[in-house]
Amino acid sequence: MFGDFLKSLSILKKFLFINLIIFLVIGSLTLLYIGNVKPNLIKNKTVKHIQIINNTVEHIIRLNIKFQEEDIRRFLFSTRFLFQNLDRVILFDNQFNLVGDTDTLDLDPRSFSNRLDIVQLEILDEKISNKIIETKNINKEKTVSLKDILTNYSWSKDYGKPFTFIQEGYDKFLLTTVKNVTLDGNNIGYLAIFENAIDIKSAINERKTFILRTAIFVGIVIFIFSFVLNRYFLKPIKNLVAYIRTIKEKSKKKTIINELKSRNDELGTLATSLDDMTNELQKRISHAENFSTDLVHEIRNPLTSLKSASEILHETEDQSQRSKLIDILNHDVQRIERLITDYSQMLKDEVALSREKMKKTNLKLIAGSVVDDFNSIYEAKRGIKIILNDPNQEEYIINGIENRIEQIIANLLDNSISFSDDNKKILVEISKNEEKNVILRVIDEGTGFKETNTKKIFNRFYSNRPDTFGEHSGLGLNIVKNLVDLHGATIHASNNFSKKGANVEIIFPRI
């Protein structure tokens, strides 16, 4: 269930939710840490108190000190080194009567350097009584009686062990440790030492402040990172998704893909690639639709002719007329077969092109191989000589697909041969221009182009051959044009100015 809930969240919400969980876990551990710090610090102080009490009790017993004011006073003067860093030491007899208090002695201030300026435990002088007066809390709502504490201590199960209690206020953290003093198994009095352990409170406050500042800092960092994540990553991805949805739904809604393409990071590259892929896919779909439409149009004409000829053939009795009609039927069938065959081959070529990769190819070697193949056929058959002309005698390296370059040259030679008379020459010329682009020219001595606009000869199914109508599908030069575009090259055709014939020129980009 939790997994389904997490899957239903967006990336930003997942990020914030996971950070919240981490915050809660770290917060819980921090509270446990803070909760354990205070007892540990108090325990360290208490250990020192117990050590001081044990040393003091040992001196009292060793020196046989009576729990009387004069003896205790002399003892406190002589052993003040025991009470370094303490704020106050009080001794009581076994009846809870005050017999010694360092606050009433004129001791060296260095022995009690950290005096408490606040009211701690106000002890009345002898003129009033030796009773212990209640100390007042900082809020003055609660009071603590040391006599009550000693009384409870004397009746508790921990009697005989040191007992520590805390008085905490705005600017104090008073630790008080009490213990009874026994001699020969008899209780002779009580010893209480006080220390304002404000360093414990300061240490805890410092840790709390550090943790709070760290939490605020981390929260700000997460907020900034969430903003950056949403602004520069998630929002563009949403725009890409919206763009894909627009393409899928064929909506005319305006998209902001161009803004994403202008970015110089990986998302910009992704947007550019996605847009190029979409445009290429749309171009292929449009190309297939147009091609199918043109093919249907081209097939419709011979089908109409077939239908008419078959109807007349069924009705006529004239043998010569029937022979002519049969020839028409045969011609139209061959024309349809040629259209379908060329169309099928063209589709296969397009599928193969999407899988083939370009590499550095020597155009001169490919052209020489194709020229040799054609000469071996047409020189003996029709006396047509194909000459490969290389005026600079150098290598011509291009980026291309070898078998597709062969197909380009072969289709151009096929086209030139179909327009040439017997015993003519066809020139295949390779050179470079000033920009170091490789140029391939096929120049023949045929009838040339009758079209004023020679661009139309590269259209699908276009063929201007009145004498041999139906013998060509009109796809040869269109295939050449597609292959040339695939190689990033340009092609244009023109008639020769100096003599009869046509000139087809392909300019390949330099490497």
Side-chain angles (χ1 to χ4, degrees), residues 189-226:
Y190 299 90
L191 176 62
I193 62 176
F194 299 80
E195 181 180 358
N196 188 15
I198 195 67
D199 55 327
I200 294 178
K201 191 171 184 179
S202 299
I204 295 173
N205 289 336
E206 286 177 3
R207 286 170 172 77
K208 289 181 178 178
T209 302
F210 173 76
I211 292 171
L212 180 60
R213 289 176 179 174
T214 303
I216 293 174
F217 175 76
V218 172
I220 293 174
V221 170
I222 292 176
F223 174 78
I224 295 174
F225 185 76
S226 300

Side-chain angles (χ1 to χ4, degrees), residues 249-499:
E249 297 175 354
K250 298 181 180 180
S251 174
K252 296 182 179 180
K253 185 179 179 181
K254 185 178 179 181
T255 59
I256 55 174
I257 190 69
N258 291 330
E259 296 180 7
L260 297 177
K261 289 169 62 178
S262 63
R263 293 172 57 134
N264 296 324
D265 55 10
E266 289 79 1
L267 283 175
T269 304
L270 176 61
T272 301
S273 301
L274 183 61
D275 189 49
D276 292 342
M277 181 185 68
T278 303
N279 292 334
E280 183 65 24
L281 183 59
Q282 290 178 334
K283 187 187 299 183
R284 287 179 178 271
I285 294 174
S286 177
H287 177 75
E289 291 176 349
N290 295 335
F291 199 94
S292 300
T293 303
D294 294 342
L295 180 64
V296 170
H297 176 74
E298 290 296 319
I299 291 179
R300 185 180 291 114
N301 292 331
L303 284 177
T304 302
S305 177
L306 278 173
K307 182 180 179 181
S308 300
S310 61
E311 290 176 352
I312 297 174
L313 180 64
H314 181 71
E315 295 175 356
T316 185
E317 297 289 340
D318 189 351
Q319 191 63 33
S320 60
Q321 183 70 15
R322 290 176 67 90
S323 298
K324 291 180 180 180
L325 292 173
I326 290 173
D327 291 338
I328 292 174
L329 290 173
N330 184 47
H331 179 272
D332 289 337
V333 169
Q334 291 179 357
R335 184 182 175 190
I336 292 174
E337 182 183 11
R338 190 176 298 108
L339 285 171
I340 294 175
T341 301
D342 290 347
Y343 177 66
S344 176
Q345 184 60 42
M346 191 172 183
L347 291 179
K348 291 179 181 179
D349 290 341
E350 287 187 355
V351 173
L353 284 175
S354 63
R355 301 174 181 173
E356 295 173 342
K357 295 182 179 180
M358 294 189 182
K359 61 181 180 179
K360 292 183 179 180
T361 306
N362 191 335
L363 180 61
K364 182 178 178 180
L365 294 179
I366 297 175
S369 176
V370 176
V371 168
D372 291 342
D373 291 343
F374 271 73
N375 276 330
S376 63
I377 298 174
Y378 292 99
E379 190 173 4
K381 185 177 180 180
R382 295 182 54 188
I384 295 177
K385 176 66 176 177
I386 303 173
I387 302 171
L388 177 61
N389 184 18
D390 176 17
N392 297 323
Q393 296 295 321
E394 61 176 298
E395 302 294 328
Y396 299 94
I397 306 299
I398 62 172
N399 271 330
I401 304 171
E402 186 173 339
N403 60 332
R404 300 306 167 186
I405 300 295
E406 291 179 354
Q407 189 176 359
I408 290 174
I409 299 174
N411 283 9
L412 291 178
L413 291 178
D414 273 334
N415 188 72
S416 295
I417 290 171
S418 67
F419 281 100
S420 299
D421 296 331
D422 294 346
N423 303 315
K424 294 293 182 178
K425 293 181 180 180
I426 297 175
L427 177 63
V428 177
E429 185 178 279
I430 305 176
S431 62
K432 287 184 178 180
N433 60 12
E434 296 179 355
E435 289 78 21
K436 303 299 182 181
N437 296 322
V438 178
I439 301 176
L440 172 69
R441 293 186 181 92
V442 177
I443 304 170
D444 61 52
E445 298 176 351
T447 58
F449 299 110
K450 300 180 178 61
E451 296 81 3
T452 304
N453 181 14
T454 56
K455 291 182 179 180
K456 65 172 62 176
I457 68 173
F458 300 109
N459 294 339
R460 285 191 300 270
F461 305 115
Y462 180 84
S463 180
N464 190 0
R465 305 168 188 264
D467 298 334
T468 57
F469 176 75
E471 295 183 5
H472 297 271
S473 64
L475 291 175
L477 291 180
N478 180 254
I479 293 174
V480 170
K481 179 67 168 58
N482 292 336
L483 294 175
V484 168
D485 291 341
L486 174 70
H487 288 78
T490 57
I491 184 171
H492 59 273
S494 61
N495 290 318
N496 295 324
F497 294 104
S498 58
K499 57 183 179 179

